[in-house]
Amino acid sequence: MTQHDSPALPTHRPGASRQGPADPSPSRTTRLWMPALLYTLGFLTLYLLAICTPWGQRAENALFGLGSEGSEDAWIYPLSGSAYGSTPLPPLELSAKPTLMVGLAVIVVLTLVRRCWWPGCAALGVVILTTGGKEVLKSTLPRPDLVGAPENLLDQGFPSGHTAIPAALTLAAVLVVSPRIRPYIATAGVLWLACIAAASATMGGHRPSEVLGATLLACACYGLATWLLPPAGAAGATRSPRALPVITLTVALAIALVSGARNDTLTRSLVSAATAFICAALVWYAAVGRPAHTARRTRPALG
């Protein structure tokens, strides 16, 4: 058989079968900053559309005109801490700061026990940047009155502090726990977030844009933290059971519907529930839905 007749066989490299179907290109690792950028752009777009446009302000202000002005008609009112002598569901009302302190302490303990120094620092950074950034943004971002709104609707609440705490603590926790239990920790945090986000929106403490803004801020800080993690400090891959995302989001929707329900208006109840469900989906996707941890560690094979 001549040289021209020889069949073209694929070149085999030792260890190629262990590398998977294809080695990731360098561009894959350089695109890890995209989630942080997209969440940040979503945050800014939400602020501009909901707060800096007349129709955005009218749409959200109209929600406060549906039903009674107080929060007593919300189903979750007995757990809100607003009622005299009631115990608030963390982090509502006066339980916000204690919840944040306890969450930070748990992150520190997990970091020390598991000796995951880089993920632990990243987790603390997510919480500090989210909650601290929320305070800075609430005091610096203007809320212009473009529609002649009543004085009680002119207070700046973007983004929501009560929503920022469960979102940030959930995303921080998935950085410091074992990959085996990470999906279940994310599930618990997402269900907690769905309840608090719906309660914050339906009780009149925050507009839907403020609740969504806090979640997007937490996701942006998480995306930044995972991008900046060094390869040696990146967490392991997250493998969740195939049915867990559907179960988690279904239960989150049910919790959002109950937590956002009011006796006096169906529209406001549904808007609050939809807002909370979007928040839950955003955090679930950020924490479990994309392989951000392993992509940064992977390098193209040499030789």
Side-chain angles (χ1 to χ4, degrees), residues 98-109:
T99 302
L100 180 60
M101 293 299 104
V102 170
L104 287 172
V106 171
I107 292 172
V108 171
V109 170

Side-chain angles (χ1 to χ4, degrees), residues 46 48-62 143 146-147 207 209:
L46 180 67
L48 293 174
L49 293 180
I51 297 177
C52 298
T53 62
W55 55 268
Q57 289 189 3
R58 289 193 185 96
E60 291 201 305
N61 290 344
R143 180 184 288 276
L146 304 177
V147 295
R207 297 168 171 84
S209 63

Side-chain angles (χ1 to χ4, degrees), residues 163-189:
T163 306
I165 292 175
L169 290 178
T170 298
L171 292 170
V174 301
L175 287 170
V176 294
V177 299
S178 168
R180 187 179 66 247
I181 66 172
R182 184 177 299 131
Y184 305 102
I185 296 298
T187 294

